[in-house]
Amino acid sequence: MPELLKKFSLDKRLQGDKNGNTRPRQPGGKDAHAYPWDRSSLKSMPLDLQQFEKLDTYASQVTVKSGLDELVSDLLQEAHSDLERVRAIWIWICHHIEYDIEAAQEKDRQAFKPSNILQTQKTNCDGYAGLFEKMCRIAGVQCMTVPGYSKGFGYQTGQSFSGEFDHAWNAVYLEGRWHLLDSTWGSGLVDTTTSKFTFLYNEFYFLTHPALFIEDHFPDNKNWQLLKPPQSLRQFENNMYHKSEFYNKGMLSAHPDTPVIRTVNGKATITMESCAPTLFMFMLNGKQEHGLLSLQKNGMKLDVYPPTMGTHKLQIFAKGNSDIYSSVLEYTLKCNYVDSGVRLPSELHQPVGPSWFSEQMGIRKPSHPDPIIHTSDGRCSISFGVEEGISVLASLHGDDGPITEEMQRRYIFQLHREKRTELKVQLPHAGKFALKIFVKKRQEPGNYAFVFNYLLCCSNTKVNWPMFPESFGNWGQDNELLEPLSGVLPANRNVPFKLKLHGVAKALVKGQDTWPLTLNSEGYWEGSCSTAGCQEVYVMVLENANHNFYSYILKYKVNNQ
C-alpha cells in the first residue's frame, strides 16, 4: 500500500508538470545575496551534509532501467522534500555521467538529448545542465539551465571572455528562492596534460553561495548572479579566482586578492588565512625554490624572490584534512628588479621556522621563533624542548657546500640537557644556509621526518669555522662537550679537554699516546692531550669497570700545517 501511494503521488506530480506547469519565474530582489561572502557557509542555504549521507549512498547506487521517468521515480524513493529530490538527482548525475571532451567541441547540441546521455553515460556541459533540468522537472522541482562564461578547463589567469558562451549550469527553486549548482564540475575534472576525465566528486558546486559561484561562473543574464550588486564582465575577468579547492581546504582569504602581482624591490609577499591549522607549499615556475614559507596558527605567510626579471607563475598548495596537497591559488608575478643579495639556498624547503606543526611533531618552545637567524660571527646556538621519546637530527645546507651528508651534519653539534636539545652551529663561510630539522620516534623504525628549517645568514667574509668533531653512536644524547669544540686541532700543542659523560667508568684521550681524563667534583671529565706526532685524536670511554673494551665517542683531526 505505501508503495502504491508513493507511485500515485509521483504520477500526479509528473502529470501536473507535463500538463502546463507555468515557466519558472525569473529571480528577483529577494533572491539576491549581499556581496561579499560572509564566511558563515559555502552554501546559499543552511545545510547539514550529514543529513544526506543515507540519501547520497542510495542515489549513487541507482541504475538506469528503462528511461528517464523510471530513473527519477527510483531516485525519489528516499527523497521526501524538494531539497532531497534535487540532492538525489545531483548525486546520481555526478556519479554516473562522464564529461566527454570530444563532445565539448560539438556544435550540434541536439546530440545531447537526455535519452542519448542515459545510453552513453557521457555528455558535455550543455548535456549535464539539460539532463539536470529535465530530471528536476519530472520530479516537480522548478529548474532552469543558465548559459554563460566560465573559468574552467584551459582557463588562463587574466584572459578575457567574448563571443559564444562556453559553459552551462543550473538554478533550482527551493524554499522560496533560487539556488545555483553545476553538476558538470561536481562530477570530476579533466587532466590538463592528458585531457582525460576523472570522476572526482566535488561538493562545492552544490547550492554554492552566489558570491563564490561568481568567481568562475558568469551568466548571460546578470539576474542569475543572484548578487546585490551584480558584477560586470570586466570585474569577472579581473577578479581573483579562488579555485573550489581553496574553499574545500578551509581557506578564508588571501592577500593580495588580485591575480597579477608586481614585485617590490624584487620581492612579493602573499598571506593566506585558513579556518584551521593547515600545511602549505608553493611552486614558482614549477619548482619549490626562491621563497620563504612560514606557517601561522591559521594560515601562512610567503615571501617570494623571483630569480629573473619578467613574468613568473606562482602556485600555492594546501593540504587540509587529506594527505594530498591541492592547488588552491595561482598568481602571475611580474618582476622588474632582482636583488642578487637575497638569493636563497636551493635546499631551503618549506616550511621555514618553527610553528604549530613543529610543536605537533614534538618540538616545543624554540629559542628562535623567527624563521631567519642572522649571525655576525658565523656561530649560533639554537635550543628547543623535545617531547619524550623523540630523536632530533639536524643538517646544514648551502649552495656551495658542505657537500657530503656527513659534512652537512659536522657543522652542527647537538647537546641535550634538561629535556632541551641545543644545536651549536658554526658556518664554514659567509652566506646563506638552510638548517634542516628532522625528528623520529626512537622506538619506531623508518626514516627521520623533515619538520622545518631555519635560514641562517652571515655576511662576515672573515668567517671560516672548522667542523665540529665527529661523534659516534656511543655519544649519548645527554653528553655535553665544553672543549675543544673545533673538530680540527692544532699540531704540536697541549689541548685541554672538558666533557660531561653519563654512565661511564673511565674516559681517556688517545693520540700518539694515551691521556686519562679525571672526573671532577662538578661531574665533568677533564684532562689534556698532546697532538705531537699524530693525525687523529679520539675520545674513548669504558662503560663498565669490569670490561677492558673502550668505545670511541669522538674523533678529531690534527692540522698538519
Side-chain angles (χ1 to χ4, degrees), residues 337 364 480 554:
Y337 168 77
R364 309 277 163 85
E480 194 176 328
L554 294 175

Side-chain angles (χ1 to χ4, degrees), residues 492-549:
N492 304 310
R493 294 271 181 87
N494 259 358
V495 179
F497 280 75
K498 187 175 183 181
L499 310 91
K500 183 168 271 188
L501 305 170
H502 293 271
V504 302
K506 290 183 181 178
L508 58 84
V509 182
K510 181 178 182 299
Q512 181 81 349
D513 296 310
T514 299
W515 312 80
L517 299 177
T518 54
L519 187 62
N520 70 15
S521 57
E522 295 171 347
Y524 289 97
W525 292 85
E526 286 186 298
S528 63
C529 153
S530 168
T531 59
C534 60
Q535 294 182 323
E536 293 170 341
V537 169
Y538 294 90
V539 177
M540 303 171 74
V541 295
L542 187 69
E543 290 170 355
N544 188 317
N546 299 323
H547 294 173
N548 358 332
F549 181 72

Side-chain angles (χ1 to χ4, degrees), residues 88 101 122 175 270 338 360 419 442 445 484:
I101 289 98
K122 281 185 170 188
E175 298 180 16
I270 292 94
V338 174
Q360 200 179 78
K419 294 187 179 176
R442 280 191 211 122

